[in-house]
DNA sequence: CGCGCCTTTGAAGGAGCTCAATTTAGGTGG
DNA sequence: CCACCTAAATTGAGCTCCTTCAAAGGCGCG
């Protein structure tokens, strides 16, 4: 039974949970808020000044080690909404740590069908799919104006050979991605439509909470179609499930604005056997 | 279009293809064939004598480097059919390279639902899910009598810091797992039942071919139920799809014995738009 | 040789999809 | 600031593919 609980966690929790007072500014999805004033300080210091370092690659590193990592981190890069950070087929050079903003990754099939493989937020790492074949295998698209730290992969490997903690943490990050993917496979393979959406909402809530935002109230950065693609459902089904949750008093939906009214109720949906 | 082709490859091909003359002995699933006589030679030398090194961790390493890796590889371990290599919740100590045999990995949900997350064969690496949380997150079960090389993870990390090629190759292996998972997500999220099964058969064929076995004729090591779990289908649906393929002259099915009669025809099923 | 498990096949039911019409929100230009 | 325009979301109705339930057949193993 204990391992079953463990598995549940994989579906919902992609990142280590850290404690931080909840922020009240819930409008981070507005692009204006994301334009960080460029001072000498923010330009020079990457990780050592970053308030995401508990969620990101520097996790567990000592101060001097973080400064070493700083030197490896290349320029920051700003990605406007709807622009690609990278595309499938582009040669792989670097992985990216999200400083601010929101991304989706998707893969495209010959016949035009495409599948969203994930949504990524601040502190999460993008681009690890590219390591295996020296080229990216999916597209990464910003769902709002975003900023990433470019980490040239050869530099990261070089540094990993020197800093054991960094090496191990990077391995953990990659492994976490594998575990996350297993959670999605579970979701796609065994869950019904409303279970999938409930799991999705709880996962988002969890990740926003870990970043200090409200666990109950947030704005979806993606469309119903993108949610549907991720969950293996049609956009109409997603919309209907949202409406149904609202009827049952579990959430409040106003287009992309979501309020979770009954966290426990959503969780209960997951445990429920289909037959 | 090129990247679309690339994506298709992810669904079908999990491993680098290497050229080897096809073997005629197709009865490798018989346990007897897997009991390698224990000579001093096979006991002492792990990777340097292994004919799977082109598919496995030593790939790309020089002779002296492979010998270094040898020293890191711990004992081999034999796993009988239906026995667990590891279970979800067990503490993570090592990853495993499959020397011979066939495995499945699955995750279990609280309510009893479980999902097969993959099938692994010789040369493939098991256990990387455990790195992130210091405990395994899925179960690995042998589907036939098997043998694995135990690679203590701390040793692998230690050696990775010294051998750049090994470090990079290990990163590739992890990344390949992520890409493979994306392929499965695509399969589960967007494909119809018969497309899923066709993709599954082509993937198996591809991987057997890479190991020198016939691309057209093989024995399934798993039950219809396990295939169904992996593909997000019920066992009856899998069985019906097999029968339908046979009616159409695409394959021949005799319980677990499969002959692919029309490789191109199966491939065509994948490209077909559902609407 | 017999038992159990796996597989096959049929028939009926349902969850989610398709198609279609309407509403709403957000961005744009007058 | 408002009217317009387009993209996104909602909602309904019918349909389809897969599931569910059930029963029979086959293979392997003790």
């Amino acid at each position: 039974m204990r391992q079953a609980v463990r598995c549940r966690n994989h579906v919902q929790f992609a990142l280590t949970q850290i404690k931080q007072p909840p922020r009240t500014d819930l409008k981070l999805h507005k692009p204006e808020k994301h334009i960080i004033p460029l001072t000498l300080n923010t330009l020079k210091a990457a990780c050592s000044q970053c308030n995401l370092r508990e969620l990101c690659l520097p996790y567990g590193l000592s101060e001097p080690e973080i400064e070493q990592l700083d030197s490896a981190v290349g320029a920051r890069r700003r990605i406007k909404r709807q622009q690609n950070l990278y595309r499938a087929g582009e040669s792989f050079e670097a992985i990216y740590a999200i400083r601010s903003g929101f991304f989706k990754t998707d893969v495209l099939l010959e016949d035009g069908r495409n599948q969203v493989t994930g949504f990524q937020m601040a502190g999460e790492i993008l681009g690890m799919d590219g390591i295996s074949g020296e080229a990216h295998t999916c597209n990464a698209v910003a769902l709002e104006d975003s900023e990433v730290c470019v980490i040239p992969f050869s530099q990261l490997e070089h540094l990993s050979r020197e800093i054991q903690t960094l090496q191990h943490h990077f391995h953990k990050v990659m492994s976490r991605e594998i575990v996350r993917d297993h959670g999605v496979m579970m979701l796609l393979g065994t869950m019904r439509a409303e279970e999938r959406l409930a799991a999705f909402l709880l996962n988002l809530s969890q990740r926003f909470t870990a970043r200090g935002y409200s666990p109950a109230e947030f704005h979806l950065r993606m469309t119903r179609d993108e949610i549907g693609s991720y969950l293996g459902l049609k956009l109409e089904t997603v919309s209907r499930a949202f409406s149904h949750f609202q009827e049952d008093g579990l959430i409040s939906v106003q287009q992309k604005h979501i309020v979770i009214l009954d966290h426990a109720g959503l969780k209960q949906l997951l445990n429920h056997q289909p037959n």
Side-chain angles (χ1 to χ4, degrees), chain A:
Chain A
M1 271 301 100
R2 298 201 61 225
Q3 53 222 60
V5 174
R6 185 173 290 282
C7 290
R8 161 58 42 74
N9 286 343
H10 302 147
V11 180
Q12 291 178 27
F13 309 144
L15 261 161
T16 315
Q17 198 169 357
I18 58 163
K19 282 166 207 139
Q20 248 181 290
R23 293 176 197 164
T24 46
D25 53 332
L26 277 166
K27 302 188 177 161
L28 262 206
H29 63 290
K30 298 275 186 187
E32 308 85 71
K33 290 266 182 171
H34 278 207
I35 293 161
I36 298 141
L38 276 179
T39 67
L40 255 180
N41 203 25
T42 57
L43 261 181
K44 276 172 70 183
C47 303
S48 48
Q49 299 286 319
C50 182
N51 55 8
L52 289 166
R53 64 170 179 268
E54 307 272 69
L55 286 165
C56 191
L57 268 188
Y59 176 80
L61 267 58
S62 68
E63 277 303 324
E65 284 168 345
I66 293 184
E67 274 164 40
Q68 269 188 280
L69 182 56
D70 273 358
S71 65
V73 174
R76 292 203 200 145
R77 195 173 137 195
R78 282 165 190 281
I79 315 289
K80 283 234 164 69
R81 193 173 121 84
Q82 302 294 17
Q83 281 187 340
N84 278 67
L85 174 58
Y86 55 81
R87 288 170 203 274
E90 281 181 16
S91 85
F92 169 75
E93 304 292 344
I95 61 172
Y96 306 91
I98 304 177
R99 248 193 85 76
S100 66
F102 206 95
F103 286 83
K104 71 165 180 184
T105 48
D106 62 5
V107 290
L108 197 69
L109 232 55
E110 296 174 25
D111 52 24
R113 283 180 288 184
N114 84 317
Q115 164 95 11
V116 172
T117 54
F119 297 106
Q120 296 81 16
M121 50 179 83
E124 293 175 339
I125 306 293
L126 273 167
M128 292 178 294
D129 59 283
I131 302 168
S132 67
E134 262 114 58
H136 287 287
T137 61
C138 61
N139 307 293
V141 183
L143 295 183
E144 62 184 20
D145 292 6
S146 302
E147 195 181 25
V148 299
C149 299
V150 182
I151 306 166
F153 191 63
S154 56
Q155 298 241 43
L156 180 64
E157 285 195 331
H158 178 75
L159 215 55
S160 280
R161 271 175 264 129
E162 296 183 353
I163 308 174
Q164 191 177 347
T165 323
L166 176 64
Q167 179 199 36
H168 190 61
H169 186 59
F170 176 61
H171 290 161
K172 281 191 169 187
V173 168
M174 291 206 84
S175 171
R176 191 151 53 206
E177 182 71 19
I178 292 170
V179 172
R180 190 194 68 85
D181 290 345
H182 287 175
V184 177
M185 286 166 64
M186 180 103 221
L187 184 140
L188 292 171
T190 74
M191 290 188 183
R192 312 194 150 283
E194 299 198 347
E195 290 182 285
R196 297 185 198 186
L197 191 64
F200 174 70
L201 290 174
L202 290 171
N203 173 274
L204 279 185
S205 163
Q206 156 59 26
R207 286 154 75 197
F208 281 126
T209 307
R211 280 156 189 78
Y213 299 108
S214 166
E217 194 172 0
F218 48 84
H219 278 259
L220 300 172
R221 272 73 171 175
M222 69 297 280
T223 65
R224 300 286 188 266
D225 195 38
E226 286 164 334
I227 297 173
S229 173
Y230 180 63
L231 299 179
L233 302 169
K234 293 293 152 187
L235 68 94
E236 294 94 332
T237 308
V238 173
S239 182
R240 272 185 255 270
F242 270 132
S243 301
H244 189 220
F245 285 173
Q246 184 159 243
E247 282 168 34
D248 289 2
L250 295 171
I251 63 171
S252 148
V253 201
Q254 212 94 10
Q255 304 281 128
K256 291 193 157 74
H257 184 79
I258 302 284
V259 184
I260 295 180
L261 302 171
D262 184 358
H263 196 275
L266 281 177
K267 250 185 181 153
Q268 231 176 333
L269 277 181
L270 296 187
N271 299 12
H272 194 268
Q273 275 278 46
N275 39 319

